[in-house]
Amino acid sequence: MRQAIVTPNKDRIRWVEVSGAEPARVYLHGLGASSPVYFAAAAAHPLLAGRRSLLLDLLGFGISDRPADFPYTLEAHADAVATALDEAGVAGVELVGHSMGGSVATVLAHRHPRLVANLLLVDSNLDPSVPVRSPGSSGIATFGEEEFLAGGREEVGRWVGPLWWSTMRLAGPEALHRSAVHSVRNTVPTVRELLLGMDFPRAFLYPRGDGELPGAERLRESGVEVVAIPDCGHNIMFDNPESFAVAASTALARRA
């Protein structure tokens, strides 16, 4: 395990690192998750192994610190990760982000372009959405922060089921709520618009069962490789690891 101080209050981001060839590959998890849990099997797959890999937990989640005074916007997450990557001595990385982690990855690539050479988004959030009482960031965002801290977190735990809750319960309550709220609000310009404006290799994986990805044609026109993965839900790397590895290895082999 490695760590880096990423805030003036000396809060630390931590990651599990696997040695291998450069350029490094960095994995970012989704809301309430943890990269060593969600990406360990993928990083070890024969099609993806052999690369220096950083399975990094965002501030507030997993093995990283959980400061209550951090804003947990997508921009703040991205800047904290950038500080950690600088400390790790990497640049021009292959950046893989799942769900909210993909939103953070896109903002990171926009704000710190020297750090990213290839971007792979895994069923990530591209647009603002309306909070709705359901599992996920949308449901968490229906609570005010005080309401969430006073009992909403436990209610969410009953919504999401034992698999997601196994890592979500490790998140700082403020981190979980604020990250969900800002994921739903998205950014200005939106994450989709940031992605469309980039000029290095980019790919987007999504479950084929969800139907055509909204805005897929425009993404393709801008150079984003859009790939439907069969036999999976939102957690593509869990549900169909072989197809994930094939698609991810192909996308990450692209060079500018």
Side-chain angles (χ1 to χ4, degrees):
M1 185 183 73
R2 308 290 178 85
Q3 62 182 355
I5 294 172
V6 296
T7 72
N9 291 334
K10 300 189 182 304
D11 302 300
R12 289 170 166 81
I13 274 181
R14 297 183 179 88
W15 64 93
V16 171
E17 183 165 331
V18 180
S19 62
E22 302 280 353
R25 186 172 292 153
V26 177
Y27 293 89
L28 300 180
H29 61 83
L31 181 76
S34 168
S35 290
V37 175
Y38 275 66
F39 282 115
H45 190 282
L47 291 175
L48 295 169
R51 187 60 56 84
R52 181 185 177 189
S53 298
L54 286 68
L55 285 71
L56 185 146
D57 278 348
L58 298 171
L59 202 63
F61 297 90
I63 57 176
S64 292
D65 286 347
R66 302 159 180 76
D69 59 350
F70 190 73
Y72 296 105
T73 62
L74 295 176
E75 294 88 347
H77 274 305
D79 290 346
V81 172
T83 300
L85 297 186
D86 281 336
E87 181 68 21
V90 298
V93 305
E94 298 173 353
L95 187 57
V96 182
H98 176 235
S99 195
M100 186 190 78
S103 303
V104 172
T106 306
V107 175
L108 169 64
H110 171 72
R111 292 168 72 90
H112 306 275
R114 64 183 175 80
L115 292 175
V116 182
N118 194 316
L119 180 62
L120 174 61
L121 306 183
V122 185
D123 207 25
S124 299
N125 313 317
L126 300 181
D127 306 301
S129 58
V130 177
V132 177
R133 291 257 166 159
S134 62
S137 56
S138 179
I140 293 172
T142 62
F143 294 92
E145 184 165 312
E146 289 188 8
E147 181 187 10
F148 184 75
L149 298 180
R153 176 180 175 275
E154 288 69 28
E155 185 174 350
V156 167
R158 293 189 289 272
W159 294 351
V160 302
L163 174 63
W164 198 357
W165 187 245
S166 67
T167 54
M168 185 180 286
R169 63 189 174 86
L170 304 177
E174 296 87 358
L176 184 59
H177 182 263
R178 293 175 199 165
S179 295
V181 167
H182 289 292
S183 182
V184 167
R185 289 178 183 170
N186 209 260
T187 59
V188 179
T190 66
V191 171
R192 182 184 295 272
E193 290 168 324
L194 297 180
L195 181 63
L196 289 168
M198 294 171 181
D199 60 1
F200 53 82
R202 294 146 292 149
F204 192 104
L205 311 185
Y206 71 100
R208 180 178 293 169
D210 287 355
E212 178 71 355
L213 181 72
E217 189 56 37
R218 189 176 174 210
L219 289 172
R220 292 189 180 99
E221 289 171 356
S222 78
V224 180
E225 182 182 3
V226 180
V227 183
I229 306 297
D231 304 321
C232 67
H234 179 56
N235 294 322
I236 297 174
M237 68 290 285
F238 282 170
D239 298 336
N240 191 340
E242 191 64 30
S243 292
F244 173 81
V246 170
S249 62
T250 300
L252 294 171
R254 296 172 67 198
R255 295 291 178 262

